[in-house]
Amino acid sequence: MRMVDLIEKKRDGRELTTEEIQFIIKGFTDGSIPDYQMSAFAMAVFFQGMTERERADLTMAMVESGDQIDLSAIEGIKVDKHSTGGVGDTTTLVLAPLVAAVDVPVAKMSGRGLGHTGGTIDKLESVAGFHVEIDKQEFIDLVNKNKVAVIGQTGNLTPADKKLYALRDVTATVNSIPLIASSIMSKKIAAGADAIVLDVKTGAGAFMKDLDDAKELAQAMVSIGNNVGRKTMAVISDMSQPLGYAIGNALEVKEAIDTLKGNGPKDLEELCLVLGSHMVYLAQKASSLEEARHMLEEVIQNGKALEKLKVFLSAQGGDGSVVDDPSKLPQAKYVVDLEAKEDGYVAEIVADSIGTAAMLLGAGRATKESEIDLAVGLVLKKKIGDQVKKGEPLVTIYSNQENTEEVKAKIYESVKISKEKVDAPPLVYDKISR
Ligand code: URA
Ligand code: CA
């Protein structure tokens, strides 16, 4: 087989065989296929697309390019959740203990954040003592015992995807549905998921700004998952504004605690119930989505979900008492309200630019090497559709620096106020299953 012939085949819009796709990914991973040929191939895929079968083959070839996590020692169906990324997306912190409280095993491998705000691990590390540097056996034992554990990235997972993503980034081929879908799905499958719930975000703060693009990506990922034997469902949710109120690490932990107590922001609670119901259903712990939702509402009401968070944090060295007393979380030195400059209705809270404001405070990393400040961030006082009066607080700024002029300017630039009444955007646009 010669790479040049396979590039030509794809360039001309013909379908590649399983063996041909395996040849390409194997050769690219071991270096026998150079970057310039892989770049040409990525561009051919960008213009010609891939069939459903080719997408599944590409995904599995990338899974097989490196280590795969074996979770078979954990009892039950392991369901993973993946979000395509948003601002102040506190769902993982809520969902992990929530679904574990109804006996769905949550074996989560997670990462640190880059840009906007922290990743799930950064957020969890706001709890004094909590750590994810546990070995694989301890991880498995903890999931069997408590139904939930989080481990940092281990092993050499999907090296082909890492290399290809870096190449796509500099060859204008990131934005290709088959390449994005196989990239995301390969990582979930290599991390050991039996079933996958996808939260595909759409709106100004999302990777897929357009609803039709988000639907197409969701459909592509759901097909891949089901074609390779992992039951997969997707929810398309709004990221035109941040989810919940809090953006920032300790602030989001506090928000997750509130939500597990039943006192959280309604949008965050609702999205967690929707995603959680799908997880419980795919784990075969309920026979319908309605039953699954009911089970989750019950463990919020009776305190079992909150208790599960405490057990989970303590089991990994964390101070579980933060659940009863969130003032033990890192606190910012300066807390100031940013006031509305005019009367009206909140029309826009541009999520990515609000995320940048939080990053300027130190809640996120500008570069991989940046230190993160766990205490700082923003809490929205108003969301899209809310009425606001001049002088009322729009956003509370939690900062460890006295001068926050740049942050304030960024927030004013991100929050648009209109004279006319504005409707709140829908939270969930669509659900996609096979
Ligand atoms: N996120 C990924 O993991 N892969 C892509 O290709 C795009 C976004
Ligand atoms: Ca939030």
Side-chain angles (χ1 to χ4, degrees):
M1 237 180 272
R2 292 193 319 157
M3 183 61 177
V4 62
D5 302 324
L6 304 181
I7 297 170
E8 181 181 309
K9 194 170 175 186
K10 183 44 71 185
R11 182 200 69 192
D12 295 345
R14 283 177 290 142
E15 187 177 6
L16 298 170
T17 67
T18 305
E19 293 69 35
E20 287 167 341
I21 290 173
Q22 286 170 346
F23 171 85
I24 293 169
I25 295 304
K26 200 161 170 297
F28 179 55
T29 311
D30 70 23
S32 57
I33 292 173
D35 284 0
Y36 51 82
Q37 283 190 310
M38 198 61 185
S39 305
F41 177 73
M43 191 58 87
V45 171
F46 182 91
F47 282 111
Q48 294 293 358
M50 279 186 147
T51 65
E52 238 188 77
R53 206 219 80 246
E54 285 179 306
R55 295 170 186 198
D57 286 341
L58 175 60
T59 304
M60 289 316 290
M62 294 205 289
V63 168
E64 284 152 15
S65 72
D67 299 338
Q68 294 176 55
I69 308 287
D70 179 7
L71 298 178
S72 58
I74 297 169
E75 302 137 30
I77 299 171
K78 275 71 69 183
V79 187
D80 203 355
K81 186 226 55 161
H82 178 80
S83 155
T84 58
V87 176
D89 183 5
T90 318
T91 52
T92 302
L93 293 180
V94 177
L95 279 170
L98 180 60
V99 306
V102 300
D103 280 342
V104 173
V106 179
K108 189 125 194 102
M109 182 180 283
S110 221
R112 286 171 208 283
L114 181 61
H116 290 346
T117 51
T120 297
I121 292 181
D122 298 309
K123 295 174 193 178
L124 287 166
E125 282 176 350
S126 315
V127 177
F130 184 89
H131 62 94
V132 295
E133 292 79 20
I134 53 179
D135 69 31
K136 231 194 111 207
Q137 192 55 48
E138 189 181 357
F139 175 60
I140 286 171
D141 292 344
L142 282 175
V143 182
N144 277 329
K145 182 163 164 247
N146 300 329
K147 296 292 169 192
V148 50
V150 174
I151 189 170
Q153 236 102 48
T154 57
N156 178 29
L157 300 195
T158 60
D161 173 62
K162 274 195 197 86
K163 225 177 144 186
L164 181 55
Y165 197 24
L167 197 60
R168 287 164 55 207
D169 207 21
V170 293
T171 56
T173 49
V174 167
N175 227 332
S176 149
I177 297 269
L179 296 180
I180 299 168
S182 56
S183 166
I184 293 173
M185 292 301 286
S186 67
K187 285 178 279 222
K188 292 285 120 182
I189 293 165
D194 298 320
I196 299 157
V197 174
L198 299 160
D199 180 14
V200 179
K201 309 280 195 191
T202 187
F207 187 58
M208 288 287 154
K209 308 221 179 289
D210 196 85
L211 180 58
D212 287 335
D213 291 343
K215 279 189 194 174
E216 199 184 333
L217 177 63
Q219 190 66 62
M221 292 192 288
V222 167
S223 307
I224 289 173
N226 288 302
N227 283 334
V228 303
R230 267 74 168 186
K231 288 211 176 77
T232 304
M233 286 173 151
V235 170
I236 304 197
S237 73
D238 184 63
M239 193 38 77
S240 60
Q241 62 181 338
L243 188 63
Y245 302 119
I247 305 154
N249 299 280
L251 295 168
E252 288 185 52
V253 172
K254 161 83 166 53
E255 181 166 80
I257 293 169
D258 291 341
T259 305
L260 290 166
K261 286 178 178 164
N263 305 324
K266 286 301 146 205
D267 60 343
L268 175 61
E269 177 184 273
E270 178 59 23
L271 186 59
C272 289
L273 287 170
V274 170
L275 294 169
S277 305
H278 283 82
M279 293 173 77
V280 173
Y281 178 70
L282 288 184
Q284 295 177 13
K285 295 281 180 190
S287 51
S288 68
L289 287 170
E290 295 69 36
E291 185 192 352
R293 183 180 173 113
H294 183 76
M295 289 162 69
L296 296 175
E297 286 170 342
E298 191 170 305
V299 292
I300 291 177
Q301 275 151 24
N302 66 18
K304 282 192 180 155
L306 191 66
E307 185 56 32
K308 188 59 85 177
L309 175 63
K310 201 189 261 188
V311 168
F312 158 55
L313 294 173
S314 312
Q316 294 190 226
D319 176 5
S321 73
V322 297
V323 167
D324 305 311
D325 183 5
S327 72
K328 289 183 176 172
L329 289 164
Q331 303 290 319
K333 222 185 305 175
Y334 305 99
V335 180
V336 280
D337 283 336
L338 187 72
E339 293 168 358
K341 289 180 184 165
E342 58 194 312
D343 291 348
Y345 297 86
V346 177
E348 259 183 73
I349 307 179
V350 183
D352 46 0
S353 112
I354 278 278
T356 305
M359 193 178 72
L360 291 173
L361 288 166
R365 291 183 183 83
T367 70
K368 257 193 241 169
E369 287 72 34
S370 322
E371 282 271 340
I372 211 161
D373 186 340
L374 296 169
V376 304
L378 304 170
V379 174
L380 307 179
K381 294 292 174 190
K382 301 281 176 188
K383 303 251 324 207
I384 297 178
D386 288 349
Q387 192 171 17
V388 57
K389 295 214 150 43
K390 186 177 173 182
E392 259 191 304
L394 273 181
V395 176
T396 306
I397 302 170
Y398 292 77
S399 170
N400 277 328
Q401 64 212 46
E402 205 171 349
N403 183 341
T404 53
E405 290 316 309
E406 197 190 350
V407 175
K408 287 179 179 166
K410 191 87 200 159
I411 299 172
Y412 277 129
E413 191 188 301
S414 328
V415 181
K416 308 239 165 29
I417 293 175
S418 130
K419 290 287 168 216
E420 264 99 81
K421 219 165 178 303
V422 176
D423 289 330
L427 176 65
V428 172
Y429 291 94
D430 210 347
K431 294 177 193 172
I432 290 171
S433 55
R434 177 157 258 210

Short mmCIF file of all heavy atoms in Angstrom, two decimals, residues 87-91 123 242-248 251-252 255-256 265 267-268 378 380 383, ligand 2:
data_model
loop_
_atom_site.label_atom_id
_atom_site.label_comp_id
_atom_site.label_asym_id
_atom_site.label_seq_id
_atom_site.Cartn_x
_atom_site.Cartn_y
_atom_site.Cartn_z
N VAL A 87 -18.32 27.33 29.28
CA VAL A 87 -17.82 28.23 30.32
C VAL A 87 -18.66 28.03 31.58
O VAL A 87 -19.88 28.04 31.53
CB VAL A 87 -17.93 29.69 29.84
CG1 VAL A 87 -17.51 30.65 30.94
CG2 VAL A 87 -17.08 29.88 28.60
N GLY A 88 -17.96 27.82 32.70
CA GLY A 88 -18.67 27.62 33.96
C GLY A 88 -19.53 26.37 33.93
O GLY A 88 -20.57 26.30 34.57
N ASP A 89 -19.08 25.37 33.18
CA ASP A 89 -19.85 24.14 33.04
C ASP A 89 -19.58 23.23 34.23
O ASP A 89 -18.65 22.44 34.22
CB ASP A 89 -19.47 23.44 31.73
CG ASP A 89 -20.29 22.18 31.51
OD1 ASP A 89 -21.19 21.92 32.32
OD2 ASP A 89 -20.01 21.46 30.54
N THR A 90 -20.41 23.34 35.24
CA THR A 90 -20.20 22.65 36.50
C THR A 90 -20.80 21.24 36.49
O THR A 90 -20.83 20.57 37.52
CB THR A 90 -20.82 23.53 37.63
OG1 THR A 90 -20.48 24.89 37.38
CG2 THR A 90 -20.32 23.18 39.00
N THR A 91 -21.25 20.76 35.33
CA THR A 91 -22.03 19.51 35.31
C THR A 91 -21.28 18.29 35.85
O THR A 91 -21.86 17.50 36.58
CB THR A 91 -22.55 19.16 33.90
OG1 THR A 91 -21.47 19.20 33.00
CG2 THR A 91 -23.63 20.12 33.45
N LYS A 123 -10.83 22.09 39.56
CA LYS A 123 -11.97 22.44 40.41
C LYS A 123 -11.95 21.60 41.69
O LYS A 123 -12.08 22.11 42.80
CB LYS A 123 -13.29 22.25 39.65
CG LYS A 123 -13.43 23.21 38.48
CD LYS A 123 -14.66 22.94 37.63
CE LYS A 123 -14.58 23.71 36.31
NZ LYS A 123 -15.72 23.46 35.41
N PRO A 242 -23.08 31.41 30.00
CA PRO A 242 -22.50 30.38 30.87
C PRO A 242 -23.60 29.57 31.58
O PRO A 242 -24.71 30.07 31.77
CB PRO A 242 -21.68 31.17 31.88
CG PRO A 242 -21.42 32.49 31.23
CD PRO A 242 -22.62 32.76 30.37
N LEU A 243 -23.27 28.36 31.97
CA LEU A 243 -24.23 27.49 32.67
C LEU A 243 -24.17 27.79 34.17
O LEU A 243 -23.08 27.86 34.74
CB LEU A 243 -23.86 26.04 32.39
CG LEU A 243 -24.85 24.98 32.86
CD1 LEU A 243 -26.19 25.13 32.14
CD2 LEU A 243 -24.29 23.59 32.63
N GLY A 244 -25.31 27.92 34.78
CA GLY A 244 -25.35 28.25 36.21
C GLY A 244 -24.94 29.69 36.42
O GLY A 244 -25.03 30.53 35.51
N TYR A 245 -24.45 29.99 37.63
CA TYR A 245 -24.00 31.36 37.93
C TYR A 245 -22.49 31.45 38.07
O TYR A 245 -21.89 32.45 37.74
CB TYR A 245 -24.64 31.85 39.24
CG TYR A 245 -26.15 31.84 39.24
CD1 TYR A 245 -26.87 31.08 40.16
CD2 TYR A 245 -26.86 32.60 38.32
CE1 TYR A 245 -28.26 31.07 40.15
CE2 TYR A 245 -28.25 32.59 38.30
CZ TYR A 245 -28.94 31.83 39.22
OH TYR A 245 -30.30 31.82 39.20
N ALA A 246 -21.88 30.41 38.63
CA ALA A 246 -20.47 30.49 39.02
C ALA A 246 -19.53 30.11 37.89
O ALA A 246 -19.77 29.16 37.15
CB ALA A 246 -20.23 29.58 40.22
N ILE A 247 -18.44 30.86 37.77
CA ILE A 247 -17.36 30.57 36.83
C ILE A 247 -16.06 30.73 37.62
O ILE A 247 -15.72 31.84 38.03
CB ILE A 247 -17.35 31.55 35.65
CG1 ILE A 247 -18.71 31.56 34.95
CG2 ILE A 247 -16.24 31.21 34.66
CD1 ILE A 247 -19.01 32.86 34.25
N GLY A 248 -15.36 29.65 37.86
CA GLY A 248 -14.16 29.70 38.70
C GLY A 248 -14.16 28.44 39.54
O GLY A 248 -15.21 27.86 39.78
N LEU A 251 -15.54 28.42 43.35
CA LEU A 251 -16.91 28.93 43.21
C LEU A 251 -17.82 27.87 42.57
O LEU A 251 -18.98 27.74 42.93
CB LEU A 251 -16.92 30.22 42.37
CG LEU A 251 -16.20 31.42 43.01
CD1 LEU A 251 -16.01 32.53 41.99
CD2 LEU A 251 -16.99 31.93 44.21
N GLU A 252 -17.27 27.11 41.64
CA GLU A 252 -18.07 26.06 41.00
C GLU A 252 -18.26 24.86 41.91
O GLU A 252 -19.29 24.18 41.84
CB GLU A 252 -17.45 25.65 39.66
CG GLU A 252 -17.63 26.73 38.60
CD GLU A 252 -17.15 26.31 37.23
OE1 GLU A 252 -17.57 25.24 36.75
OE2 GLU A 252 -16.35 27.05 36.63
N GLU A 255 -21.06 25.84 43.96
CA GLU A 255 -22.28 25.76 43.16
C GLU A 255 -22.75 24.30 43.01
O GLU A 255 -23.95 24.01 43.05
CB GLU A 255 -22.03 26.38 41.78
CG GLU A 255 -23.23 26.37 40.87
CD GLU A 255 -23.03 27.29 39.66
OE1 GLU A 255 -22.34 26.89 38.70
OE2 GLU A 255 -23.55 28.41 39.70
N ALA A 256 -21.78 23.38 42.87
CA ALA A 256 -22.13 21.96 42.75
C ALA A 256 -22.74 21.47 44.07
O ALA A 256 -23.73 20.72 44.07
CB ALA A 256 -20.89 21.14 42.40
N PRO A 265 -28.54 26.66 40.79
CA PRO A 265 -29.18 27.35 39.66
C PRO A 265 -30.05 26.36 38.89
O PRO A 265 -29.64 25.21 38.68
CB PRO A 265 -28.01 27.81 38.80
CG PRO A 265 -26.78 27.65 39.61
CD PRO A 265 -27.06 26.65 40.69
N ASP A 267 -30.91 26.13 35.72
CA ASP A 267 -30.43 25.60 34.44
C ASP A 267 -29.41 24.48 34.66
O ASP A 267 -29.46 23.43 34.02
CB ASP A 267 -29.88 26.71 33.52
CG ASP A 267 -28.71 27.49 34.10
OD1 ASP A 267 -28.47 27.43 35.32
OD2 ASP A 267 -28.02 28.19 33.32
N LEU A 268 -28.51 24.70 35.63
CA LEU A 268 -27.51 23.67 35.92
C LEU A 268 -28.19 22.40 36.43
O LEU A 268 -27.88 21.28 36.00
CB LEU A 268 -26.51 24.20 36.96
CG LEU A 268 -25.47 23.19 37.46
CD1 LEU A 268 -24.60 22.69 36.32
CD2 LEU A 268 -24.59 23.83 38.54
N LEU A 378 -16.05 34.55 38.86
CA LEU A 378 -17.21 35.43 38.71
C LEU A 378 -18.48 34.68 39.11
O LEU A 378 -18.58 33.47 38.90
CB LEU A 378 -17.36 35.87 37.25
CG LEU A 378 -16.14 36.55 36.62
CD1 LEU A 378 -16.34 36.71 35.12
CD2 LEU A 378 -15.91 37.91 37.28
N LEU A 380 -22.50 35.23 38.28
CA LEU A 380 -23.50 36.03 37.58
C LEU A 380 -24.68 36.30 38.50
O LEU A 380 -25.14 35.40 39.21
CB LEU A 380 -24.00 35.30 36.33
CG LEU A 380 -22.95 34.78 35.35
CD1 LEU A 380 -23.63 34.05 34.19
CD2 LEU A 380 -22.10 35.92 34.82
N LYS A 383 -29.19 36.58 34.42
CA LYS A 383 -28.99 35.77 33.22
C LYS A 383 -29.87 36.32 32.10
O LYS A 383 -30.71 37.19 32.34
CB LYS A 383 -29.31 34.30 33.51
CG LYS A 383 -28.49 33.73 34.66
CD LYS A 383 -27.41 32.73 34.35
CE LYS A 383 -27.62 31.75 33.28
NZ LYS A 383 -26.85 30.51 33.48
CA CA B 2 -21.40 27.28 36.62
#
